[in-house]
Each structure stands twice: as structure tokens, then as C-alpha cells.
Amino acid sequence: MSKKAIIIGAGPAGLTAAFELLKRTDIKPVIFEATGDIGGISKTVKHKGNRIDIGGHRFFSKSDRVMNWWREILPMQGQPSRDDLILGRKIELSEVVGAPNPEVDDAVMLVRNRLSRIYFLRSFFDYPISLKYSTFKNLGLWRIIKIGFSYVKARLLPIRTEKSLEDFFVNRFGRELYLTFFKDYTEKVWGVPCDKIKPDWGAQRVKGLSITKAVWHALSGIFKKNKSLEQKQVETSLIEQFMYPKLGPGQLWEEVAKKVVAADGEINMNCRVTGLEWSGNRVTAVVVADAAGERVVEADYVFSTMPVSELIAGFKPAAPEAVQQIAAGLVYRDFITVGLLLKKMSIKNSTGIPSINDIVPDNWIYIQERDVKLGRLQIFNNWSPYLVHDPDTVWIGLEYFCQEGDELWNKSAEEFASFAAAELAHIGVIDQADVLDSTVIKMPKTYPAYFGTYDQFDEVRDFTDQIENLFLIGRNGMHRYNNADHSMLTAMVAVDNIAAGQADKTNIWNINVEEEYHEKK
């Protein structure tokens, strides 16, 4: 291999870039990962035989390229998984002749059923909101009437210029539904009012979802006989099934890392890139710090998934002053997960969907209650039963959105675990006496924010795009709230450009904003 690509970060984008380079070029990938973990925020954390998925990662994409890529790394299950066997449930999509059996093989993708609900007013609501009797009963007649009139008004008299995320939501759902289900939760996530957030976030995360599409999806499901994992005509928030690695998302990225190393790629852990040396329109080297000190590593190409604020701060010589100021003003939201091991949950399964030990069948639950700081609840038993060491226990993850250095972030692990358990007990989800064990995981810079200096970000992009051998990819690398599949596609397209000798990087930035990708009609 005559040339070398330095890749900053061993998350989905960085590992995808390395794997693609090895498959399609003679360029050697050299990854520098600042932490001791593979997978970035898609890693799987192990705790006393149990496994935690940070944030919950559904393996679903409208991109055939990504779906096939995942299945190349971990083949689809051929026999029912542990909970399917216990419940006697058959998923026809998983009947693949010769495919691995998850009861025996670890290297396997499970097919999982999706259920996400909202917990609000101490009751469950479908997500997205459905027109069921339970919805009307839980909301009450007067609130339903206001929501209906508000929605009609929004459709007839929309806000023509969407200047904020609030405008985006109101246009699609009406002000009353926005105030009921979107405003408080979104402000929990970001810590600022919705009218201070750019509408770009909604355009990328909510995409084409609307009440009309949710209703049509529900009606069409009544007559649908066969389910398909592809679900290309379905909005992401409405998908019914998804793939999931038997041992959590980190398992897939650990497999990719093994393949990269086996193919003569290089992965260096606990090595932080602190600087980029550049001249003219090229990066010439990166500065790497580890336990032995700093060293300079020459580079033919550089793929960056590190936060843009840190990347620009490390330019040597310094980036233009205006670019430095914009990058320094970019804002990030941080994330804390509390793993709680329980004897049981206080809330019972009343859905009619079979579940093990009467656990509610949700993958995750959005906590809309205003009297707690808790944002979302993962039930790991329902993601994969193999994440749970003892199947007679309930293993859950409580998710909090915070700012590094604030009151939540500064709590000790013991204080935070106790605080989180008390919040969940307060809203009737658990009894604190049923808590068997806990662990706390803090993840800085998990969510790039759409406020601060974000509205000037194009100036940063223009500067980095002119450096021909530098490619910004992934969520933090592009300061864009991408899912894992979008992050992977940015890496794939960057490698496409190198292989084709294409200098224009517009196609990389178009990932997750293209109309074609969203498949809107």
C-alpha cells in the first residue's frame, strides 16, 4: 500500500471509511481513536454480564447499500431467537436456510419488532400518535377537540417561512399537538426553547412524517399480509421491524474492526489527534497524543469524525479567524445513561403483545412527564434477550440529556443512580425496592446542536472543503445529527470520490438532505 489515510475516530463513519478503503483502493487506513472503545456512541457497554446500548440503535436504512453492508458483516438469523422460542413466536423474515442460529452462534443479526411509545399523564400513547380509543380516552375530549381544530388551522394557514423548530412542528402537527407532545420533550433534549433551534433538525430527524402519513400507515397495515425489512416507502418513525446484532450495536463495529486489522489496516486506541498540519490546499500530517507523548504522523488523506470545534482549533497554522470563531461557537448536547437491573417493573403489559415475564414490549419509551428530567427509557430485554445475563431480571437504560459541567453531569455515579431510580419510581414505572444493581455512563458531545453559531456553519464547510485531501464525515465530523446509516454513507461516498478522483465534496454533504434518499413522492 503506497498511500496512507489517517482516520480520526473508530465509530461507524471512521470504521466504514477504513473498511471501504481496504476493499476498493490500495490506500492503507490508520485509525486513531481517543478512547479505549470501538464504536463511538454505537458501542456496547458491558456491566456484570449485562450489555448496554447507548441511545438504542435500530439497524434500518432506506439505503440498500447500507443494509447489504450490515448483512455482509453479520448474517441474518436462521432460527428464532431466545424470546421467540419462549413465546412460540415465528418471524418469517428470519427463516433463512443455512443462516446462523442465535441460540448457538453469536455472529448474527436478529430481526426485531419495533414498538416505541410515549409515557405522558401516567399513561401510554402510541408513537407516532394514533387515532385509537385509548388516545382519545387518555387525552380527554376537550384536548382532542383543540388538537383537531389546531391541526386543521395549520394545514389551511401554514407558517410560510419556517424560521425555527417550533415553526416546523406547528406546520406539520398544529400548535396544540406540538404543545402536548413535542415542545417539552424536545426542550429536554436540547436544553433551549424550540423557537431558538433551527428547523434543520426537524428536516433531518422527523423528515416527511405527518398525521396524514401516520393515519395512512395504520390503515394500510390492516390489509398488509407480508412484512418486509426494506420498508422503503415507510417513514423511519413508522417502521415495524429492524435488524439488531445479537450482542448489541458494538458487536457489529467490533467485527468490522477485526476485519480492518486482518486486511492490514491499523487501529490505535487511546490516541487523541490534537492537531492538523496543513499547507496550501492539503493536510500534510496529524499530531497524535498518547501515553508516550506527542508525535507527528504524515498523511496522504485525512478523514475526520472528531467534533468540528476541536478539529478547527487544532489547525497548524491556524485556520482563518472567522472560521475559528464559528467553530468555537458550535454547541453540543451531552448524554448520560443509567443502567438499572430490576427484579420487575411496576408497569404491566396491557398491549396484548406477548412478552417475557409480562415486561412491557417497548424497545424504548419517551418520557413526556414534566415533573422528571428523564428523557427516554430503554428496555434492553426487548432489543435483544442476549443483552441480559439473567432472563428473569429486567435490564433498562434511563437516558438524560445535559450539558457537560452542569448539575446533572457533576453528580457522582452513586448520586445519579439513586436520583434516576427515584424519578422512575415517582412516575410509577418501578418500585425502588426492586433495584438490584446500577451503573452510570457519561457520553460528551453526543448531539451536535442546531443553535449557537450553527447558522454560520457554511463558512466552516467552505474552508474545509477547499482542503482537497480532508474529508469531514459522520455525526460530529459534519456537526449534523445523522443516524448511523447516514454517517456510514458519508464515509462510503468520500471513498467513492477518492476512487473516482472527484474533488467536489457536495455529494458527501448531501447525505441525509437529498430528496431521493428520503424517497418522498
PDB file of all heavy atoms in Angstrom, residues 137-138 157 207:
ATOM      1  N   LYS A 137     -59.242   8.558  25.025  1.00  0.00           N
ATOM      2  CA  LYS A 137     -59.554   8.409  26.453  1.00  0.00           C
ATOM      3  C   LYS A 137     -58.500   9.078  27.327  1.00  0.00           C
ATOM      4  O   LYS A 137     -58.827   9.795  28.285  1.00  0.00           O
ATOM      5  CB  LYS A 137     -59.646   6.917  26.799  1.00  0.00           C
ATOM      6  CG  LYS A 137     -59.913   6.644  28.262  1.00  0.00           C
ATOM      7  CD  LYS A 137     -59.911   5.146  28.555  1.00  0.00           C
ATOM      8  CE  LYS A 137     -60.073   4.876  30.046  1.00  0.00           C
ATOM      9  NZ  LYS A 137     -59.981   3.422  30.352  1.00  0.00           N
ATOM     10  N   ASN A 138     -57.216   8.864  27.002  1.00  0.00           N
ATOM     11  CA  ASN A 138     -56.137   9.401  27.835  1.00  0.00           C
ATOM     12  C   ASN A 138     -56.011  10.919  27.716  1.00  0.00           C
ATOM     13  O   ASN A 138     -55.672  11.599  28.691  1.00  0.00           O
ATOM     14  CB  ASN A 138     -54.805   8.751  27.452  1.00  0.00           C
ATOM     15  CG  ASN A 138     -54.754   7.276  27.806  1.00  0.00           C
ATOM     16  OD1 ASN A 138     -55.499   6.803  28.664  1.00  0.00           O
ATOM     17  ND2 ASN A 138     -53.879   6.537  27.148  1.00  0.00           N
ATOM     18  N   LEU A 157     -53.638  27.306   7.071  1.00  0.00           N
ATOM     19  CA  LEU A 157     -52.888  28.558   7.200  1.00  0.00           C
ATOM     20  C   LEU A 157     -51.491  28.271   7.751  1.00  0.00           C
ATOM     21  O   LEU A 157     -51.155  28.656   8.881  1.00  0.00           O
ATOM     22  CB  LEU A 157     -53.629  29.530   8.125  1.00  0.00           C
ATOM     23  CG  LEU A 157     -55.037  29.943   7.696  1.00  0.00           C
ATOM     24  CD1 LEU A 157     -55.735  30.688   8.830  1.00  0.00           C
ATOM     25  CD2 LEU A 157     -54.971  30.807   6.433  1.00  0.00           C
ATOM     26  N   LYS A 207     -38.202  14.301   9.158  1.00  0.00           N
ATOM     27  CA  LYS A 207     -38.321  14.135   7.709  1.00  0.00           C
ATOM     28  C   LYS A 207     -39.766  14.345   7.264  1.00  0.00           C
ATOM     29  O   LYS A 207     -40.383  15.340   7.568  1.00  0.00           O
ATOM     30  CB  LYS A 207     -37.776  12.774   7.276  1.00  0.00           C
ATOM     31  CG  LYS A 207     -36.295  12.614   7.582  1.00  0.00           C
ATOM     32  CD  LYS A 207     -35.769  11.325   7.022  1.00  0.00           C
ATOM     33  CE  LYS A 207     -34.257  11.225   7.223  1.00  0.00           C
ATOM     34  NZ  LYS A 207     -33.860  11.095   8.588  1.00  0.00           N
TER      35      LYS A 207
END
